[in-house]
Each structure stands twice: as C-alpha cells, then as structure tokens.
Amino acid sequence: MTEKTAGAAGATGRRLRVALAGQQNAGKSTLFNALTGVAQHIANYPGVTVDKKSGFYLDHGRRVEVVDLPGTYSLTSFSLEERVVRRFLYEERPDVVVNVLDASNLRRGLYLTAQLIELGHPLIVVVNMMDVAERRGLKIDLNALARKLKVPVVASIGRKGVGREELRAAIRRIADEPDTSPAISDARLDYGALEETIGWVEERLADSSGLDAGAAVRGLAVKLVEGDAEAVRLVREDPRQAVFLEEVAEARKNFETAHDLSTGDHVAAIRDRFAGEIVTASVRESRKGAVSASERVDRLLLHRILAPIFLVLVVWGIYEISIVQGYELTKVTWPFLASLRNFAAQWLPEAGFLYDPQIRSLGLWMVDSANTLLNYVPIFLILFALIAILEDSGYMARIAFILDRILHRFGLHGQSTLPFILAGVFAGGCAVPGVMATKGIPDERARLATILTVPFMNCLAKIPLYTLLINIYFVEAKGLVLFYLSTITIFAALLVAKLLSVSVLRHKETAPFVMELPHYHLPTLTGVLRRSIDRTWLYIKKVGTVVVAVSVVVYVLLQFPGLSADQEAVYEGRAEAAIAEFYDEMAGNPYLAAVPDQAALTGLVNVYTDYRTEKLMAQGAEASRAVDARYENRYPEFYPFLKRSSDKEARTAERALKTLATTRKTLRREMKEERIVNSLLGQVGRSLEPVTQFAGFDWKINVALLSSFAARESSVATLGVLFQPSDGENDTLEERMGTEQRAAGYSALGAVALMLFFALYPPCLATTIMVRVQTQSYRWMIFSIVFPTFLGLSVASAVFTLGGMFALSGLETLTITYFTAFAAVILVGLFKRPFGRVLPPPGLFAARRRVMRGESR
C-alpha cells in the first residue's frame, strides 16, 4: 500500500469518505438509503452517463460522505460501470470501502471481494439480505468469513435497517484507529505458476518512485500481468515505464505459451477458487437440492410460450398506467401550472392593445415552455416508479433475457427493450424518458444505437399529424394506415440500428453480455418512491433548464424580423376603428367614465381577458362565484363591464367590451400569423422548397415541420395558422387543408411521403437535448438531427417519386413500402453473425457463468 493511502483515514480529520461497492442486486442502494436517509445527491461521473449517488450522515460529530458506486461484478475494464468503479477507487481514494455481498449468492460477490482486497484500501464486508439466505436454508458463519477475508464482516438486512448501526460503528473504528485497524486485509491469493512473475512486477513497481498508482502495489502488479488495459494506461503515464511494460508483455506471452492458457483465464480461475473455498468454509446449506421460489416462478415467466405473452402484458400495463392514466393526472396539474402562468403575467409589464413589451412576450414564452415540460411530471413519476418496481423485483433482467437474442441481431441489446417501450412502441410514448432509460445499457455500441433510434418510435405528439392527414386522405382505411405507421417505425428502428452498428458505431466498445437473473424481491415503498422522485427531479434539472434557455432561440426565430411598416399601419388602423366603434356605442353611458382614455381602455380589455380565463378555469359554481367576488373587490370600476346584469347600461357596456375584446383577439392572431410567415423560420421554409419539392412538400409544410422541432404538436398548430378560414366560413382544418391542397394538386401520395418523413424526422428539442445529456457529446446530438433528416427526406422523396412514376395511389404506395421494410427486417434478422460482439476471455466467462442463473452452487 502506498504511503498516501495508508494515511488517508487519519488525514481526513472529522470528515470521512466511504465507498459502497458490490455487484448488482446485492441491496447496495437500499443500504445506501438506510445510511444516508434523505441527505442525498445524484449527478453523473465526469465524462460519463453513469449515475453518481452520494449522501452523508453525521456520526459523533463527524460528517461521513457515502458514495454509492455503480454495480459491478469485477474490476476489469469490459463495461463502463467497471471502469468508473476502478477509476474512483484508484483516483478518489476513499477512506473506507464497504463491499456489499448478497448473502444468498456469496460466491458470486466474493469474486469482486478478492480484487478489492488487493487494492489495499481499508475494507468492510457487509453480508446483506440475510433474511433471503435464511429462507433458502443457508447458514453463514460470519466469524469464519471474517477470518478468511481478514477484514470486519457485518450482517445486514438493508430494507429493514438491520445492521446499519453496526456498520456505522465499524466505519467509526477505522476512522478513530487508522493505524491499528484490521480493515486493511493481509489476505493473499496464491496465483501459483504466475506468482514468480507477479513478485518480479511488484518489486519493479515498488522501485518506481514516479508512479503513484493509488492502490496496493500487488493489486496493480496482478492487473499488469493480466494485461488489463486500464492498468497499462496508468503505468504508461510515466514515460520511463515503456521498457518495463514491454518486459511484462513478454513475460505474459511466455506464460501463455508454456501453459497454453491465457493469464486472464488463470487469474480468473484462482479468484473463483478463492471464492469457492471461502463459501465452503463459511456457508452451510440445510436444504441442498431444493428448488428456490425464484426458479419456480421463472419456470412460468421464462417459459418458451408463456414468456412473450406475459411480457406483452407487462408492457401494456406500463403503457396503460403511466401514459394513459398518468396523462389523466395532467388534467389536475395543468390548472395549477396555468395559475402560475397567470401569476407570472401579473408581475410582468402590462400587455398593450396590439403590441406587448418584449420582456412580457419573452417571459410568458419561457413560462409556457417550462409548463409544457412540467405538465408531464405526473407521467414521469408513475413511469419511473414502475421502472423501479420492475428493477427491484428482478423482472427487468428477465425482459432483457427474453429479447436480447432478437435485438442482438440488429446491433441492439436486451436492455434496449424498455427505452423503445417508453418512447412509444405503442402509440403514445415519449422519446425523452426513452432516451433516459438507455443509461442502464452496458454495451456502448448498443446504447448509442438505441439512443439514435428511440426517436423513431410513435410518441404521443406525432399522433395529431397522423390523424389530420388520415382524416383528409384515408377516410376509408383509417385503421389500416394507422397500423402501418405504428409498426413500420419499429422496422425502421431495427434496420437503422443495424446500419449504424456496422458503420459509424463499428469502432465503439462493446461489453460482454453477462445476464444475471437475480432472485425475486418484493420492492419497498420507500425505495420505489425515492427513486421515482430522484429520477424525475434529475429530468427536470437537466432538461427543464436547458429547454427554457433554448426556447429563447426559437422565440427569436419565430418573432423576427416581424411585420413591415405597411402591415403595422393596416393593423393599427383596424384597431383604432374598433376603439372608435366602442366609444361610439358607449356614448352617453355612465360607465364610460371608467375608461376616459385608450390607456384605461387597454387596462379594461386586459382585465376582461384575465377574468374570462379564470372563469373558464373555475371548478364548480362556488369557485366561479369566488372569481366574481375577487374581481368586483379588485376592480369595482370595471366590474359592470365584466358581469352580465339586468341593468341596461351595464349590458350595453358588457356587449361593447366583448365586441372590442373579440376584435382585438382577432387582430393579434392575424398579426401572429403574418409574423410567422415573415419570420426567419418562414423564410427558411420557402428557401427549402427546391429540395423538399421532390417529397411533395411546399413551404407551408416546411414551416410546420421546422416549428415541430420545438415540439411535435406544433406541426398541426402551425398548419392551423397557415391554412386559415375565409371570412364567413367555419370549416375544420381537415376541410380547409384538404380543399386547398387538392386545388394545388396535392394528393394522398404526398400525405404518405409526409407521414413517413415525420416518422423518421429528427427528435424534438427536448429529446435532442437529452441525447446530448446521455452521450455527453455535441457531435452525437448534431448527428441525431442530421442523419434522420437525410434519411427521412430520402425515403419520402423516393416514395413520392416512385409512387408518381408508377401511378400508384397513396394506400398502394404505403402498403408496398410497409412490406418492403418488413422483408428487409426478416432478411437482416436471419443473418446471424454478431457484428462486433466482444466476448470476455474464457476464464472470466467461466468465473461468471453462475451469474447467469443468479445462484451459488
């Protein structure tokens, strides 16, 4: 152990850093919650997307920081989690490492314990989930375990808080007595034929004064002999070690030649044997050969025929509860958010009759952008709670197990399933939580492929445009067209994932697929709620603040350069005429005294607008009467204009104000429409016509697609603005848009091209930002915009051009496109060779083989 590490605990004084390390599903996070309570913080490790959870507690006046490291099975460098844990232990140098083991699967966890011992940090072993072990008939001799490992051992039942105080006491003893503490184990694994080589490497490392490994010399020596890439990188930082590394590589080669065995295999076998010997000495099994409850459940849930059926039911349940029922909750939260908007509007400068101060327009725009995000918080809370239940129960691993074989053929991963579900395998998902859910995919290539294809799913915001076009052009085949669109996006995602895996992602690192089937557990209410709240809050912080900032850019693009002087003059003339008409109608009316000038009249119209808004939001007669009372008390001079009355003069005043307010609303809407047409986005839409004409898109469609980048729903809203009704008409958007487009020669074939482009269109603003967050790369964020745009436009142009060339109808074209995509998926899926799948060395695989069944034999 280096001198710096040896004195770490003593040097910290009254502050202590504790790292929780262990394999997945060992109850590490539950123990973390028991230690820290609500004093927690979630962030990301620098440069990666792996969660970094830290918290603290006070112990006899000492502040103890607890860091919950990602779950890992070893300290190799195959997966991102393993590299993060290693780097933290090497570079951050915690004062105490708490190794959490699953009492019912000791052998599996002890493989990591052997490596932690070699790091030389003060170590405490926590044997967690003792109740599960007892139910399985396992009796663990903790004293024998402590003697073998030569470190303190604490028994625990994390979800019940059992063992918490004992663990705190053990940590306290290490902090108080760093020099005499037995926590730094002197247990030593004998690597047999490699011992001589490891000993030689140890000596050379000990003599290297310029090397600060942050770990025991022996641990680093073993890693170098294994050929571990991270260990080699650490030593290579000292340029004087180049020759030394060549000598180590030569020694490793000689061993492998002499024994016909890789050093990795040999070291893994020794560690596995070490774990087996400890289990034999410290564990007694009273019900040997009995089938566990988890295995009995798996015989049903993983049955070849029943497994897909149960999986579909689970997927449907997630969709129904979170998206459908959760959306109903937004009807409860929206009035609250709307009241926040009204509150903000009261503090901003007053609206003008035609023009608002920029600070008011921009301020309300930002509030509206934030409200759009916050209104979906109930959905995310439910969604993340359901995910936590699936994770804690152990079924999430089974989902990956069931689908990995299929998805793997397309460069994806079993854990890609959940992101696709959340993004909208069924119409109605959302790509933002879908992209967020990719964080748990250990294979970097598959994770990036999933991130870049998740936006192809059928999010709820795409449905309005599909519905609009289907009701215009496919009235007789609504169900069939919607079925085509709902499933062709899945085909597109699979094919694009394969394309990316063999092209731009082919050099990305892959991790060995180690499938663990943990025992089923009953999730705790506290754990589920805490994780749901934590993840939702993380979503709000990471996305919400950025969305509000970027909304300013969208505002500028839609508002400027604005109306010309001539256009402004026309609107101002119409406004003055409406105001003059109001005063003419109010001539001789005693209530006219309340609005002696135009400034007062503008204030009256603003009060009327606010009053009507609050009346519409009022729930029930009592709330409506409360609104009346509030406005009568606050604006006594204006109230006769607001409330219908039997008084003749008051009715005249109310009617005149309503007419003026309606005219003002019409003028402001028309100004907004013209501003959009003249805006930078509108000009860009016209400039894109030479390119988009091959897909059948005119400038209005282009503007709608550009505006939908901020939010998919904006496409239909923008079309509603662009296809305005004529005076005296009250047609629906479908009727207006259909009539105008058919007159311009637009057909169902163009609608098919537009729907296909919209299905492959780049992700919306919030999803794009989440791509940046999850990849930690602006390059991938830009790629997620550029590639789908090129792909979507190419597909739409090809479909539109070929359909027109062969004189096909829209439905015929869509049907041919659908079955072509389906055939391509079948052909690609039949090609079994795994692209770039990297398997672990045979020895490591042998050491991990039991992990696949989650058992210790």
Side-chain angles (χ1 to χ4, degrees):
M1 179 177 60
T2 63
E3 182 179 348
K4 188 172 183 178
T5 305
T12 55
R14 298 183 63 81
R15 186 183 181 94
L16 203 66
R17 173 177 279 190
V18 177
L20 296 183
Q23 74 275 12
Q24 298 175 13
N25 302 301
K28 191 162 47 64
S29 296
T30 304
L31 187 62
F32 171 78
N33 293 333
L35 285 173
T36 63
V38 297
Q40 301 178 8
H41 174 70
I42 300 177
N44 278 341
Y45 287 93
V48 299
T49 59
V50 177
D51 274 347
K52 177 183 182 181
K53 291 180 64 178
S54 61
F56 68 89
Y57 66 89
L58 296 177
D59 184 54
H60 291 66
R62 177 187 288 110
R63 181 183 173 93
V64 181
E65 180 188 6
V66 183
V67 179
D68 185 9
L69 297 176
T72 180
Y73 301 101
S74 73
L75 296 182
T76 56
S77 55
F78 285 107
S79 72
L80 180 60
E81 287 78 8
E82 290 172 342
R83 292 197 295 272
V84 165
V85 173
R86 279 188 52 175
R87 187 157 296 182
F88 182 89
L89 295 176
Y90 276 21
E91 299 177 4
E92 298 294 329
R93 304 179 184 180
D95 303 302
V96 182
V97 176
V98 175
N99 180 205
V100 183
L101 302 178
D102 179 355
S104 63
N105 290 289
L106 268 185
R107 183 165 184 167
R108 181 185 67 188
L110 287 168
Y111 188 88
L112 173 63
T113 307
Q115 296 172 78
L116 292 175
I117 288 174
E118 291 178 339
L119 285 184
H121 293 299
L123 182 66
I124 298 174
V125 170
V126 174
V127 183
N128 193 30
M129 296 193 287
M130 292 291 290
D131 53 339
V132 177
E134 290 178 3
R135 287 197 299 268
R136 293 192 58 205
L138 299 177
K139 183 174 179 59
I140 301 175
D141 187 340
L142 298 178
N143 292 327
L145 188 61
R147 287 195 301 270
K148 284 286 186 179
L149 297 176
K150 299 184 179 181
V151 294
V153 175
V154 176
S156 170
I157 304 176
R159 63 189 183 90
K160 296 181 179 180
V162 175
R164 179 182 59 187
E165 296 307 319
E166 290 81 355
L167 175 57
R168 287 181 174 179
I171 295 172
R172 184 166 58 248
R173 282 195 298 273
I174 293 175
D176 293 339
E177 305 171 9
D179 297 327
T180 60
S181 171
I184 300 176
S185 174
D186 59 357
R188 189 181 180 94
L189 275 70
D190 186 348
Y191 289 99
L194 270 181
E195 270 299 323
E196 183 178 350
T197 301
I198 293 174
W200 164 73
V201 175
E202 278 188 82
E203 293 176 1
R204 291 287 297 271
L205 290 174
D207 293 338
S208 302
S209 59
L211 183 64
D212 186 8
V217 172
R218 181 171 177 82
L220 183 59
V222 174
K223 288 296 180 186
L224 285 176
V225 173
E226 282 186 88
D228 183 86
E230 284 290 309
V232 172
R233 180 195 62 80
L234 188 65
V235 175
R236 189 177 284 133
E237 291 178 355
D238 183 355
R240 295 171 296 180
Q241 304 297 330
V243 176
F244 168 58
L245 290 175
E246 292 178 3
E247 294 174 348
V248 174
E250 183 65 24
R252 180 168 57 252
K253 182 178 179 181
N254 292 338
F255 173 86
E256 293 175 348
T257 301
H259 296 82
D260 194 24
L261 180 70
S262 73
T263 54
D265 286 348
H266 181 76
V267 169
I270 295 297
R271 289 175 182 152
D272 188 52
R273 187 177 66 189
F274 166 80
E277 291 173 351
I278 291 180
V279 169
T280 300
S282 57
V283 179
R284 296 291 178 268
E285 189 171 357
S286 61
R287 290 186 292 175
K288 192 172 184 178
V291 179
S292 67
S294 291
E295 281 197 68
R296 288 196 296 270
V297 174
D298 278 340
R299 289 176 181 177
L300 176 65
L301 299 186
L302 298 183
H303 188 272
R304 183 181 298 273
I305 297 175
L306 297 179
I309 298 175
F310 189 79
L311 176 59
V312 170
L313 292 176
V314 170
V315 171
W316 179 84
I318 292 175
Y319 164 74
E320 179 68 24
I321 296 173
S322 62
I323 305 298
V324 178
Q325 301 304 323
Y327 187 78
E328 292 298 315
L329 290 179
T330 64
K331 298 177 182 178
V332 178
T333 58
W334 181 248
F336 173 72
L337 294 174
S339 65
L340 290 180
R341 185 190 191 278
N342 294 336
F343 179 77
Q346 294 174 5
W347 285 90
L348 292 169
E350 284 289 328
F353 191 82
L354 284 183
Y355 305 100
D356 293 343
Q358 285 294 343
I359 188 173
R360 177 183 178 84
S361 298
L362 179 58
L364 291 180
W365 179 279
M366 294 170 65
V367 171
D368 290 338
S369 299
N371 278 357
T372 301
L373 170 69
L374 296 174
N375 192 45
Y376 291 98
V377 165
I379 293 178
F380 290 126
L381 283 170
I382 297 173
L383 204 55
F384 290 136
L386 294 175
I387 293 173
I389 291 173
L390 292 180
E391 291 173 341
D392 290 352
S393 67
Y395 187 69
M396 186 68 77
R398 274 112 179 136
I399 294 178
F401 174 80
I402 294 169
L403 294 178
D404 178 76
R405 184 183 297 269
I406 298 173
L407 295 178
H408 171 55
R409 297 190 178 191
F410 296 91
L412 297 169
H413 191 280
Q415 293 182 11
S416 302
T417 308
L418 181 64
F420 285 136
I421 292 171
L422 300 181
V425 168
F426 302 111
C430 179
V432 173
V435 174
M436 289 181 68
T438 62
K439 181 177 292 188
I441 301 176
D443 187 314
E444 184 180 7
R445 181 184 300 170
R447 187 173 68 85
L448 283 171
T450 306
I451 288 173
L452 296 173
T453 53
V454 153
F456 292 159
M457 297 299 104
N458 299 296
C459 72
L460 184 65
K462 291 183 180 181
I463 305 306
L465 182 65
Y466 293 160
T467 304
L468 173 66
L469 295 175
I470 288 173
N471 280 307
I472 295 175
Y473 296 102
F474 302 99
V475 179
E476 302 300 326
K478 293 181 181 180
L480 180 60
V481 173
L482 192 56
F483 169 77
Y484 280 160
L485 292 173
S486 299
T487 51
I488 200 171
T489 52
I490 301 174
F491 302 159
L494 294 176
L495 293 173
V496 170
K498 171 62 74 119
L499 175 64
L500 295 175
S501 297
V502 299
S503 57
V504 296
L505 298 179
R506 67 184 183 278
H507 298 304
K508 289 295 178 181
E509 294 183 6
T510 59
F513 182 69
V514 181
M515 175 57 65
E516 177 188 1
L517 297 184
H519 293 289
Y520 288 102
H521 299 286
L522 185 64
T524 62
L525 179 61
T526 303
V528 169
L529 289 178
R530 178 176 285 123
R531 231 178 317 168
S532 175
I533 294 171
D534 285 347
R535 290 174 177 177
T536 304
W537 178 239
L538 189 64
Y539 163 80
I540 293 172
K541 288 194 298 182
K542 286 185 175 179
V543 181
T545 53
V546 182
V547 167
V548 171
V550 177
S551 68
V552 177
V553 178
V554 177
Y555 173 84
V556 172
L557 293 176
L558 287 176
Q559 298 298 318
F560 293 97
L563 303 178
S564 66
D566 292 341
Q567 289 173 318
E568 290 183 351
V570 170
Y571 285 114
E572 289 171 359
R574 291 171 62 185
E576 291 173 359
I579 293 173
E581 182 179 346
F582 171 83
Y583 279 110
D584 288 343
E585 188 172 352
M586 289 292 295
N589 194 309
Y591 296 112
L592 183 61
V595 284
D597 52 34
Q598 186 170 333
L601 180 60
T602 300
L604 171 61
V605 176
N606 289 336
V607 170
Y608 175 80
T609 302
D610 294 341
Y611 171 76
R612 298 306 303 171
T613 300
E614 291 196 33
K615 288 285 284 185
L616 289 174
M617 290 175 56
Q619 302 292 323
E622 185 176 347
S624 180
R625 286 192 294 268
V627 172
D628 290 335
R630 184 164 60 254
Y631 273 81
E632 184 177 14
N633 180 63
R634 188 180 300 171
Y635 307 104
E637 72 282 9
F638 290 162
Y639 190 72
F641 290 88
L642 308 179
K643 181 70 174 177
R644 288 189 177 182
S645 171
S646 58
D647 180 31
K648 181 179 179 180
E649 285 77 9
R651 289 201 306 271
T652 300
E654 190 269 341
R655 184 172 59 252
L657 177 59
K658 182 178 181 180
T659 301
L660 179 62
T662 301
T663 303
R664 180 213 192 195
K665 181 178 180 180
T666 301
L667 291 174
R668 289 167 70 95
R669 186 185 70 248
E670 292 177 0
M671 290 173 63
K672 180 180 180 182
E673 295 164 5
E674 288 207 42
R675 192 176 291 114
I676 290 176
V677 173
N678 296 330
S679 69
L680 295 175
L681 276 180
Q683 295 177 31
V684 171
R686 291 184 182 277
S687 68
L688 290 174
E689 278 190 328
V691 177
T692 61
Q693 64 177 337
F694 297 105
F697 304 163
D698 59 13
W699 76 271
K700 290 185 177 182
I701 297 297
N702 294 341
V703 170
L705 292 173
L706 289 172
S707 68
S708 70
F709 177 68
R712 286 288 180 266
E713 300 90 342
S714 299
S715 59
V716 174
T718 304
L719 290 172
V721 170
L722 297 175
F723 291 92
Q724 281 296 300
S726 303
D727 292 339
E729 294 183 358
N730 193 28
D731 297 335
T732 65
L733 175 59
E734 285 85 351
E735 294 170 333
R736 301 194 310 267
M737 185 174 170
T739 300
E740 182 174 334
Q741 288 202 324
R742 288 191 180 96
Y746 203 80
S747 65
L749 182 59
V752 169
L754 177 57
M755 289 188 292
L756 290 175
F757 177 80
F758 203 63
L760 302 175
Y761 191 51
C764 66
L765 179 61
T767 306
T768 302
I769 294 169
M770 185 50 65
V771 170
R772 162 67 181 88
V773 171
Q774 292 299 318
T775 62
Q776 298 288 306
S777 169
Y778 285 104
R779 286 175 28 179
W780 285 119
M781 182 184 77
I782 295 172
F783 182 85
S784 73
I785 299 172
V786 175
F787 175 73
T789 301
F790 175 79
L791 176 66
L793 192 58
S794 299
V795 170
S797 299
V799 167
F800 184 76
T801 303
L802 293 175
M805 184 183 302
F806 293 100
L808 298 174
S809 68
L811 186 58
E812 290 171 342
T813 303
L814 183 57
T815 301
I816 293 173
T817 303
Y818 179 85
F819 283 103
T820 300
F822 179 72
V825 168
I826 296 299
L827 291 175
V828 173
L830 290 176
F831 191 66
K832 296 183 178 181
R833 184 175 71 88
F835 284 86
R837 179 66 86 177
V838 177
L839 292 176
L844 181 59
F845 183 76
R848 293 185 181 184
R849 190 171 298 159
R850 296 178 189 82
V851 175
M852 298 186 70
R853 292 200 59 83
E855 295 178 6
S856 171
R857 297 189 189 279

